[in-house]
Amino acid sequence: MSEATRTVLVTGASRGIGKAIAVGMAKRGYDVAINDIARQKDVLAEVASEIEGLGRKALTVLADVSSKTEVEAMAAEIKAAFGHLDAVVNNAGILIAGEVDGLKEEYWDSVMDVNAKGTFLVVQSVLPMMKAAKYGRIVNIASIGGKHGAPEQAHYSASKAAVMGFTRVLAQEVGVDGITANCVCPGIIMTDMGRVNLDDPAIRKMWQDKTALRRIGDPEDVVGAVAFLASDDAAFVTGQTLNVDGGIVLS
Ligand code: NAD
């Protein structure tokens, strides 16, 4: 790791799990590049203030992670502002529910574009910085949905399985450069996205009952695992997927 202040990019950082990770990394001493799409600009500014209130730098980088042009511009902005990037957390993701029978092709494409291609594009854009430093930590937010899945989420499940497969091979390719790549698989977490599963009290109870810890997760529950995988304590951990799901039992 460089002697300079540690730096991390968190995508999809304006709310939910991404915001919790961005603030959580600032609490752990990182300067944080916070990314989201342009329409989240004002909300992202509030996250930036929170990070600056912790005495750390916040660099706001607006980009749609599924756009190669925007992602490359984002990496250039980070290089110009921070000079180096120790870690990236690919958290940006979308879920549009729909059964396979009748699923619109555009829904398949958008979910794959943001969740799977977005992860690939962001990783590709920051690899030159990490390779030059011979150091990097890549943490990709997949999902227990990518291992098990639930009805109406086949395309989401496919996108998250893609993230896990991508990460396993990435780890093999970049290890020689001192870079690790791992996945975190959140369970059911109370966020705007999580509410798709949780709005109905009966469904919420069903998920609680399936969870060893008998509760729905909060965004902050995901932070510790991400911070660990981004740290030097995880120097010899790569190509792994870690569930952060309160012990969900899916049969
Ligand atoms: P969320 O919808 O609350 O937040 C997602 C964030 O990503 C938003 O800020 C959104 O604006 C941003 N985003 C969406 N498309 C983007 C794009 N193209 N470019 C840049 N940013 C974009 O969702 P969340 O629950 O906080 O989910 C965060 C991650 O965790 C996602 O990858 C999601 O799939 C994963 N996850 C969530 C749960 C859950 O239960 N909430 C469970 C498993 C995995």
Side-chain angles (χ1 to χ4, degrees), residues 24-35:
M25 294 303 275
K27 284 181 181 161
R28 287 164 174 80
Y30 288 74
D31 287 342
V32 191
I34 45 174
N35 153 270

Side-chain angles (χ1 to χ4, degrees), residues 8-13 17-19 21-22 25 32-36 61 87-92:
V8 60
L9 163 64
V10 183
T11 67
I17 296 171
K19 178 184 174 183
I21 293 169
M25 294 303 275
V32 191
I34 45 174
N35 153 270
D36 217 294
V61 274
V88 59
V89 183
N90 282 295
N91 164 81

Side-chain angles (χ1 to χ4, degrees), residues 154-167:
H155 48 325
Y156 178 80
S157 178
S159 75
K160 294 300 189 178
V163 168
M164 286 185 263
F166 170 74
T167 306

